[in-house]
Amino acid sequence: MIVNRLQIPSLLDTLEKQIKQTIVSRRLTDPLMIGIRTGGVWVAEKMHQRLAIKQPLGLLDISFYRDDFLQIGVNPNVKPSQLPSQIEGRNIILVDDVFYTGRTIRAALNEIFDYGRPKQVVLAVLIERDGKQIPISPDCVGISINLDAGQRIKLTGPDPLGIEIQSVDVAA
Amino acid sequence: MPDNLQLNSEGKLKHFLTIEGLDKQVLIEILDLAESFVGMNDGRIKKIPLLRGKSIVNLFFENSTRTRTTFELAAKRLSADVLSMSIATSSTSKGESLLDTIRNLEAMSVDMFVVRHGISGAAHFIAQHAAAHISVINAGDGQHAHPTQAMLDMFTIRQIKPEFSRLRVAIVGDILHSRVARSNIQALNTLGVAEVRVIAPKTLLPAQVETLGVTVSHNLAEGLQGIDVIIMLRLQKERMSSALLPSETEYFKCFGLTEERLKIAKPDAIVMHPGPINRGVEIDSIVADGPQSVILKQVSNGIAIRMAIMAMAMQKQGAM
Amino acid sequence: MERILIKDGRIIDPANKIDRIGSVYIADGKIASVTNEPAGFKADRVIDAKNQIVCPGFIDLSTRLREPGQSRKATFASETLAAAAGGITTLCLQPDTIPVIDARAVAELIKDQAEKCGYQQILPIAALTQKLEGTELSAMLALKQAGCVAVSNANQPVKNLLVLRRAMEYAASHDLLLMYRANDFWLANNGCVHEGVLSTRYGLPSIPDAAETIALAQCLELAELTGCRVHFGQLSSRRSVIKLHQAKKYGLAVSSDVAIHQLHLTENNIIPFDSAYHVLPPFRTHADKEALCEGLVNGTIDSICSDHQPHDLDAKLGAFPETEPGISSLETLLPLMLKLVSQRAITIEQGIAALTQNPAKILQLDGGALTLGFAADICIFDAEQDWQVNSENWKSQGVNTPFWGHIFKGRVIHTLQAGKVIFSRSVLTR
């Protein structure tokens, strides 16, 4: 199923609803929302606003926690993570744009836990696609889709938000 | 030759031996990466896992607690395992040859050597002969190069005066024996500053020094006019005993940076020094501790720069 | 003793002003004729030298064979083979062997070993001072009688000029030539490259050319004072050539040589930190190289030598200043000389004279020429043949040369020493 630009608002609506439900079912009192750079931050900003979360939004850069440093090297233009308050004992809503292999989330969890021990972490993503490589799953999704071999999906933004599907050469 | 030695087959940094042969883009990348490591120092996360599982050996053939400690801290903040070795070399004690020392360490699965040595060219030699997967960082070789110091100096300058193309930089002191001077001159020119000026007595200038891309002055008062950045070099005691200078007092009279002399430079000029400082010899305490001095900033930037250089030299080593 | 006919080669013999196609007749180990066949001559062996050059065997004024004492670097056996393969029929051996050639016994040992490896003409140079320490005189007369052709302090300094003066007076009293490498110990200050652009850029300890010119000037004054004949070896700088030119004009009995590689390489050719380029005296500037070439052409510099210094691998493995200086250079002597000819820097007569006639004159030897009755020391080479400096072709035990892997023109085909064929390329399996 191909997703076009016009449906972003509906994805956001679905995601918002799911997060609201999860806040109740998982008893996420005084939640701390953290967006993963860069696309996750755009999505998190929308959610943060819609859900009227009091705590300022946290920004997480996982460049230094990636597991492919030896293969692709280091990104020189890294902005440091900004987590506005303590992690210890907090209920965290971690937000990303696209959930694919799961490695980004693993890196994000490693980084968050280096800051402190949260009470729980709930994962919210705008788009979940096939191709998982790590046993992690999002708790809230805007939509789940399957893509053809060689296709990549990307969020563009920040204003307006859009979705791009690219064809990438498949390695043999 | 030296530049090709430093880059791997994809043109990425593999060894960091000298500024010579590295283009502006690589230097800027190092500065940018160091910037992000500085940000990390909000104190909440002490280390990142970038080099976890990697072994770094600090091979110090020349003593230097300060530099060695910075490299140790930098490696640890990248979660690498660090081993520091101080190897005494004297002509009377015939220890292992340089090559044998390297081979023995390689046998213990090492990924990177950080080398400080008293002879020019030592780091190049080690880089040429070390096993293919090992990266070599030059922490200072003889009088030839001290590229990590040059990078932290550039980083410090950029923090305060980001526009390199407008800067006039003076390097004052024993240029002849200074690897810091040589590397700084190369870095400043590669980054495209307006002028690099060396100020020193004739005995402390190398032959045909202009060929390094500098202007020359033998008079500190004249030389400081219009200067934005003053880099003071350390004067070593041996210079007096090898007939290069009569005394520290006389040196200070001509080339010491005093408050009055500082006023000759631009009013917002900054004062730098690679350390350790000889108070009252090359620089007056009041200047070293004064508002225009960025000497302590240099020290704190040292760790972030070395983290950046080590990370860049190790990346892509596992490339398939 | 074989009777040998070398026929149809281009004979170049500067001493006798010969340059024509012809044949050389050898009998009893001596030159019998370079024109017509001597009466009743029947050749035991005929060497066809068509399209090849036939000239006197080369006389190398400065070499080190590393024996006695440093056989890890090289041996008489390996280096005389290299010399023969390079067309060199007389080797002057510098006294810095272990032990130093400061005693008769050492000189005699050398003669014995030379004989054992079938290469007779290794001429030892006696040490000027005992152990080359520059303080006490060596037994120069005894050494001369044991076959030493000159005296020298090798590369060791004689720091006290009074000692140098007395040593020169003593040498002069026995009519001994002083071979002197001009280098002031203090000014040289343990340097390893020329004091100039390269040393400044790479922070390498350096040697100003004044270290050579000042020592040269001092020795020239002492030569006049003492009447000692002096040969200045391995010059490297323009201002030395100027001083030497003035000294010769003034009438002093002085001569000089330059190492062949100094006529090709300058500090600009040095690959940074590559110890193959570590030599003393160091490679200097383009202006120095040009002046050395001109000096050779106008006769201020009399001869070329190889300055052969073979090394073991370890000697060149280390940070540049810590490596041992010197190039293994016997086998590149001829091709490098021919390269100068092809660059039109010198003529082939000048090149051959610099390797034969002139060294013979300096050493006062009956040699370096195809004169009737002289020992038949002959080099036959193909000036057009290409060959590469690699482990297949290289004979010397020392592979320390910046020319490794280079392809040169000019290859020795036969070498005869005292009428005996000591090298023949056709005999080799490749």
Side-chain angles (χ1 to χ4, degrees):
Chain A
M1 188 169 96
I2 304 292
V3 181
N4 62 32
R5 288 178 108 244
L6 296 169
Q7 296 184 290
I8 288 273
S10 116
L11 295 185
L12 290 171
D13 288 340
T14 309
L15 187 60
E16 181 193 342
K17 203 156 57 172
Q18 291 216 353
I19 296 177
K20 275 197 176 119
Q21 285 170 355
T22 309
I23 286 177
V24 171
S25 67
R26 295 277 291 268
R27 285 179 249 233
L28 300 177
T29 48
D30 195 23
L32 172 61
M33 183 169 279
I34 299 177
I36 301 176
R37 282 211 179 93
T38 326
V41 171
W42 299 335
V43 174
E45 276 166 349
K46 301 274 191 242
M47 291 297 115
H48 190 264
Q49 204 177 45
R50 288 174 177 225
L51 297 164
I53 294 180
K54 277 189 245 103
Q55 286 269 288
L57 182 63
L59 311 173
L60 200 71
D61 192 303
I62 58 139
S63 297
F64 296 146
Y65 284 78
R66 298 180 65 104
D67 65 5
D68 54 3
F69 165 67
L70 290 180
Q71 283 73 32
I72 67 166
V74 120
N75 172 14
N77 291 310
V78 172
K79 293 201 200 61
S81 299
Q82 286 168 44
L83 299 186
S85 60
Q86 290 294 10
I87 297 293
E88 199 67 28
R90 297 298 299 272
N91 294 307
I92 295 187
I93 304 173
L94 182 61
V95 183
D96 205 5
D97 52 350
V98 177
F99 181 89
Y100 177 20
T101 62
R103 291 173 192 273
T104 301
I105 304 303
R106 177 182 180 268
L109 288 172
N110 282 346
E111 185 168 353
I112 290 171
F113 275 76
D114 271 354
Y115 275 91
R117 185 183 179 278
K119 184 148 178 246
Q120 55 182 327
V121 179
V122 148
L123 177 61
V125 300
L126 193 65
I127 298 163
E128 180 191 17
R129 62 152 292 183
D130 62 311
K132 188 161 87 163
Q133 292 176 353
I134 308 280
I136 294 178
S137 283
D139 302 292
C140 317
V141 295
I143 193 164
S144 279
I145 58 167
N146 285 327
L147 292 175
D148 296 332
Q151 282 187 318
R152 282 244 141 86
I153 188 162
K154 199 167 106 108
L155 191 73
T156 60
D159 211 13
L161 286 178
I163 290 175
E164 244 175 54
I165 301 208
Q166 302 161 336
S167 281
V168 179
D169 282 328
V170 180
Chain B
M1 191 269 330
D3 48 320
N4 291 333
L5 180 61
Q6 298 196 89
L7 305 177
N8 67 14
S9 52
E10 294 166 48
K12 291 286 173 191
L13 198 67
K14 173 165 183 197
H15 301 297
F16 193 68
L17 307 172
T18 173
I19 303 291
E20 185 180 13
L22 297 177
D23 61 28
K24 186 170 172 177
Q25 199 200 343
V26 174
L27 300 191
I28 304 267
E29 262 180 48
I30 294 173
L31 296 180
D32 288 342
L33 185 57
E35 186 82 59
S36 56
F37 287 134
V38 166
M40 203 186 108
N41 279 358
D42 66 351
R44 295 170 68 187
I45 292 198
K46 287 283 192 236
K47 13 167 109 185
I48 50 177
L50 222 45
L51 296 187
R52 187 165 58 203
K54 296 289 175 186
S55 295
I56 297 178
V57 177
N58 286 334
L59 271 181
F60 275 55
F61 293 87
E62 233 186 27
N63 266 332
S64 165
T65 319
R66 296 156 53 100
T67 310
R68 208 192 52 199
T69 317
T70 358
F71 273 105
E72 273 180 28
L73 283 172
K76 286 181 175 163
R77 295 219 178 136
L78 294 169
S79 301
D81 297 321
V82 183
L83 171 67
S84 280
M85 295 180 64
S86 286
I87 303 173
T89 44
S90 72
S91 49
T92 47
S93 72
K94 282 273 169 188
E96 266 183 320
S97 76
L98 197 48
L99 201 52
D100 281 331
T101 308
I102 304 305
R103 295 274 173 261
N104 286 333
L105 287 169
E106 279 172 2
M108 302 189 240
S109 291
V110 158
D111 300 291
M112 174 179 275
F113 288 129
V114 175
V115 182
R116 169 168 278 203
H117 199 287
I119 308 275
S120 303
H124 273 75
F125 175 73
I126 292 174
Q128 277 181 305
H129 293 274
H133 67 280
I134 294 182
S135 289
V136 177
I137 309 289
N138 185 3
D141 64 327
Q143 299 173 0
H144 168 233
H146 197 354
T148 64
Q149 177 72 41
M151 290 314 297
L152 80 83
D153 288 345
M154 297 306 110
F155 187 72
T156 308
I157 294 173
R158 192 172 86 155
Q159 279 177 330
I160 302 158
K161 294 172 182 290
E163 198 45 69
F164 279 110
S165 62
R166 301 218 198 107
L167 296 181
R168 295 189 189 281
V169 181
I171 305 180
V172 185
D174 186 358
I175 313 287
L176 176 59
H177 298 97
S178 173
R179 53 192 175 213
V180 171
R182 287 180 171 84
S183 287
N184 269 327
I185 291 169
Q186 284 167 352
L188 289 165
N189 281 328
T190 304
L191 290 167
V193 298
E195 182 187 351
V196 182
R197 195 181 297 167
V198 295
I199 306 175
K202 288 204 82 183
T203 45
L204 297 181
L205 283 173
Q208 296 173 271
V209 67
E210 312 79 19
T211 58
L212 295 180
V214 300
T215 55
V216 183
S217 172
H218 300 300
N219 183 308
L220 185 60
E222 279 171 25
L224 284 179
Q225 292 184 9
I227 290 293
D228 300 287
V229 177
I230 307 170
I231 302 177
M232 301 302 297
L233 298 176
R234 181 182 153 72
L235 187 72
Q236 286 175 303
K237 303 243 181 271
E238 301 94 81
R239 308 305 167 222
M240 264 53 77
S241 52
S242 33
L244 286 159
L245 289 172
S247 70
E248 289 177 345
T249 324
E250 197 142 303
Y251 180 78
F252 185 72
K253 277 205 194 110
C254 298
F255 292 94
L257 188 62
T258 58
E259 249 190 321
E260 285 89 65
R261 290 195 176 130
L262 180 55
K263 291 196 183 106
I264 298 171
K266 287 214 182 120
D268 61 345
I270 55 174
V271 177
M272 302 175 65
H273 193 301
I277 312 171
N278 281 326
R279 290 165 182 273
V281 177
E282 64 257 6
I283 190 169
D284 227 343
S285 281
I286 207 167
V287 173
D289 302 327
Q292 288 171 263
S293 160
V294 298
I295 296 173
L296 289 177
K297 252 207 175 58
Q298 286 174 273
V299 177
S300 70
N301 286 335
I303 297 179
I305 273 285
R306 277 147 187 159
M307 286 172 71
I309 290 167
M310 288 199 259
M312 277 181 71
M314 286 269 233
Q315 71 186 335
K316 297 211 164 215
Q317 301 294 39
M320 317 293 192
Chain C
M1 277 260 99
E2 270 191 313
R3 289 178 174 218
I4 303 179
L5 161 62
I6 304 171
K7 67 174 196 165
D8 302 333
R10 176 183 170 193
I11 305 174
I12 303 182
D13 180 13
N16 291 307
K17 299 196 181 12
I18 299 175
D19 183 357
R20 56 172 159 74
I21 308 287
S23 298
V24 178
Y25 299 83
I26 297 163
D28 293 329
K30 299 195 176 67
I31 309 279
S33 167
V34 292
T35 48
N36 308 312
E37 184 174 289
F41 185 90
K42 215 151 165 227
D44 299 308
R45 177 168 176 160
V46 176
I47 295 176
D48 185 357
K50 193 138 160 251
N51 294 322
Q52 294 167 15
I53 294 179
V54 180
C55 66
F58 305 135
I59 300 173
D60 199 339
L61 291 173
S62 175
T63 69
R64 287 165 168 86
L65 308 189
R66 303 306 191 190
E67 274 190 321
Q70 292 178 290
S71 51
R72 225 179 126 225
K73 293 183 188 290
T75 61
F76 272 32
S78 64
E79 303 317 291
T80 54
L81 178 56
I88 302 166
T89 53
T90 302
L91 293 166
C92 296
L93 191 65
Q94 289 280 2
D96 51 5
T97 47
I98 301 174
V100 162
I101 309 178
D102 62 2
R104 188 182 186 114
V106 183
E108 283 167 1
L109 172 66
I110 287 166
K111 294 238 153 221
D112 278 343
Q113 285 196 275
E115 224 179 278
K116 279 208 185 83
C117 62
Y119 187 104
Q120 305 286 56
Q121 281 153 210
I122 297 180
L123 307 180
I125 300 170
L128 184 69
T129 60
Q130 286 192 34
K131 295 199 178 58
L132 295 173
E133 279 172 355
T135 46
E136 289 171 33
L137 304 186
S138 69
M140 294 186 223
L141 177 60
L143 288 161
K144 179 178 179 181
Q145 288 169 343
C148 291
V149 292
V151 289
S152 159
N153 221 50
N155 290 333
Q156 301 297 96
V158 181
K159 293 181 197 167
N160 185 337
L161 282 180
L162 181 58
V163 172
L164 183 58
R165 175 203 176 155
R166 291 184 171 158
M168 287 170 72
E169 277 169 345
Y170 191 74
S173 70
H174 294 298
D175 194 27
L176 273 167
L177 172 71
L178 169 66
M179 296 179 92
Y180 189 67
R181 186 165 94 71
N183 183 48
D184 184 77
F185 174 78
W186 303 108
L187 286 173
N189 201 19
N190 281 324
C192 57
V193 289
H194 173 63
E195 182 181 285
V197 174
L198 186 91
S199 68
T200 290
R201 179 175 300 277
Y202 293 103
L204 290 167
S206 60
I207 306 171
D209 60 3
E212 179 178 287
T213 56
I214 287 176
L216 185 93
Q218 286 177 333
C219 193
L220 284 172
E221 292 290 335
L222 288 177
E224 189 175 8
L225 184 61
T226 62
C228 182
R229 286 181 294 127
V230 182
H231 173 81
F232 292 94
Q234 300 93 65
L235 294 182
S236 69
S237 74
R238 184 180 70 92
R239 293 185 310 121
S240 292
V241 178
I242 294 173
K243 284 189 169 39
L244 210 45
H245 182 80
Q246 288 165 348
K248 283 189 171 183
K249 225 162 107 176
Y250 184 66
L252 285 184
V254 292
S255 60
S256 65
D257 71 58
V258 60
I260 185 73
H261 43 268
Q262 288 282 0
L263 299 173
H264 289 281
L265 299 176
T266 68
E267 61 172 354
N268 299 321
N269 296 115
I270 296 179
I271 296 174
F273 303 122
D274 186 338
S275 58
Y277 292 85
H278 185 187
V279 293
L280 291 177
F283 293 120
R284 299 198 192 269
T285 68
H286 185 76
D288 292 305
K289 186 185 87 163
E290 296 285 289
L292 292 168
C293 274
E294 275 166 30
L296 189 62
V297 169
N298 67 33
T300 306
I301 298 182
D302 304 87
S303 59
I304 303 169
C305 69
S306 70
D307 196 19
H308 180 64
Q309 297 181 33
H311 278 296
D312 54 309
L313 289 174
D314 291 327
K316 291 289 193 181
L317 277 178
F320 189 97
E322 290 188 312
T323 57
E324 292 182 54
I327 292 180
S328 174
S329 53
L330 290 172
E331 295 161 86
T332 44
L333 181 61
L334 172 64
L336 285 173
M337 182 275 280
L338 291 175
K339 194 165 172 197
L340 286 175
V341 174
S342 74
Q343 288 167 349
R344 298 187 204 292
I346 59 174
T347 65
I348 192 152
E349 290 75 23
Q350 286 169 331
I352 292 177
L355 290 171
T356 57
Q357 173 188 19
N358 298 346
K361 189 155 156 234
I362 289 163
L363 296 174
Q364 296 179 336
L365 293 177
D366 283 339
L370 301 176
T371 307
L372 301 190
F374 275 10
D377 291 341
I378 299 181
C379 172
I380 304 166
F381 66 91
D382 181 340
E384 296 305 311
Q385 201 180 114
D386 283 339
W387 63 284
Q388 189 186 37
V389 178
N390 57 30
S391 37
E392 257 183 58
N393 293 323
W394 198 250
K395 306 275 176 280
S396 166
Q397 196 173 304
V399 296
N400 50 304
T401 166
F403 300 109
W404 195 260
H406 282 222
I407 296 179
F408 282 113
K409 245 194 217 305
R411 212 164 195 204
V412 172
I413 309 295
H414 297 277
T415 306
L416 286 81
Q417 190 188 59
K420 184 170 141 217
V421 177
I422 59 169
F423 177 79
S424 188
R425 193 162 294 285
S426 53
V427 169
L428 300 174
T429 52
R430 39 185 42 93

